[in-house]
Amino acid sequence: EVQLVESGGGLVKPGGSLRLSCAASGFTFSNAWMSWVRQGPGKGLEWVGRIKSKTGGGTTDYAAPVKGRFTVSRDDSINTLYLQMNSLKMEDTGVYYCAAGDYGGFHIWGQGTMVSVSS
Amino acid sequence: EIVLTQSPSTLSLSPGERATLSCRASQSVSSNYLAWYQQKPGQAPRFLIYGASSRATGIPDRFSGSGSGTDFTLTISRLEPEDFAVYYCQQYGSSPLYSFGQGTNLEIK
């Protein structure tokens, strides 16, 4: 079964850090371009960042609101994607999804993990 | 920066009716890079359409996509009860790399 499972969400104070993980199974993770997409409470979808496959260059790109604070990485040996979030702000609150796909769209999604930034 | 604007924000229809959802881009988008998603409350988005008009695996043929340039449309030919949800269009481009429309809430009339 093709699956993405996120973990690591929780409650953190403004200025704090959190690391999210996304475990992949059922497909060739090492070949996949992977992204993080978030959704604030009652809001729409917002792309956060992407990492290409190693064969695609392994490069990362970020949305402007998180650039310099968030880092996307991957460990293909254990089929896991990461999102390191530093200097968290209240507006970073939301459900964080990992998703697989390239320029054609995100064809596989995880169930999401909730991040709450509050004092 | 490419901005996607979806209309209407809310669409109220009955089962069996036809739904037409619009997505307009602030700059031209390659058709290869336009996708549609369905999201139900408490669930992750579901991949529906890629390349503006190709259905993803397992998507019923009542869903169809069309359009090019700056104007794209998602059509649901005959609404089933399970089709009532929020729909998002999404593009891949240069800045930002990916962007989503604000969504259309398709609700039961």
Side-chain angles (χ1 to χ4, degrees):
Chain A
E1 180 190 5
V2 172
Q3 200 171 11
L4 293 170
V5 179
E6 301 94 336
S7 60
L11 176 63
V12 61
K13 288 183 168 51
S17 297
L18 208 56
R19 189 177 84 155
L20 306 183
S21 299
C22 169
S25 59
F27 66 100
T28 307
F29 177 76
S30 60
N31 290 345
W33 293 14
M34 298 297 299
S35 281
W36 288 95
V37 177
R38 68 184 180 184
Q39 188 167 34
K43 296 191 175 180
L45 302 169
E46 179 186 23
W47 173 75
V48 171
R50 180 205 67 190
I51 185 166
K52 290 185 177 180
S53 61
K54 292 276 194 307
T55 55
T59 54
T60 54
D61 292 278
Y62 299 94
V66 308
K67 196 168 186 177
R69 300 189 297 123
F70 289 14
T71 301
V72 180
S73 61
R74 64 192 300 158
D75 186 339
D76 291 344
S77 68
I78 56 171
N79 294 342
T80 301
L81 176 74
Y82 301 102
L83 179 65
Q84 177 67 45
M85 302 186 292
N86 298 330
S87 303
L88 281 160
K89 305 176 182 180
M90 293 181 66
E91 52 264 40
D92 294 319
T93 292
V95 176
Y96 283 70
Y97 297 99
C98 62
D102 52 27
Y103 53 82
F106 303 126
H107 56 282
I108 308 171
W109 293 72
Q111 86 290 348
T113 188
M114 182 68 200
V115 172
S116 296
V117 184
S118 174
S119 54
Chain B
E1 177 180 342
I2 295 180
V3 176
L4 298 179
T5 302
Q6 293 185 239
S7 62
S9 295
T10 302
L11 183 58
S12 300
L13 293 170
S14 301
E17 291 193 293
R18 181 186 186 90
T20 303
L21 288 67
S22 173
C23 175
R24 178 161 290 178
S26 59
Q27 302 173 40
S28 185
V29 173
S30 168
S31 295
N32 288 338
Y33 299 163
L34 196 287
W36 289 90
Y37 303 85
Q38 175 194 68
Q39 188 178 34
K40 297 180 180 178
Q43 296 185 17
R46 176 191 183 195
F47 188 45
L48 293 178
I49 300 285
Y50 64 96
S53 60
S54 298
R55 278 187 300 278
T57 302
I59 301 304
D61 61 6
R62 64 180 181 273
F63 290 89
S64 63
S66 63
S68 64
T70 59
D71 289 295
F72 298 89
T73 300
L74 175 69
T75 302
I76 310 171
S77 59
R78 294 169 310 278
L79 285 166
E80 298 287 343
E82 62 267 27
D83 298 336
F84 292 91
V86 179
Y87 291 84
Y88 295 94
C89 58
Q90 174 246 316
Q91 68 84 34
Y92 171 87
S94 58
S95 181
L97 198 59
Y98 298 93
S99 58
F100 292 88
Q102 85 281 10
T104 289
N105 180 24
L106 177 57
E107 64 176 25
I108 299 177
K109 187 174 182 179

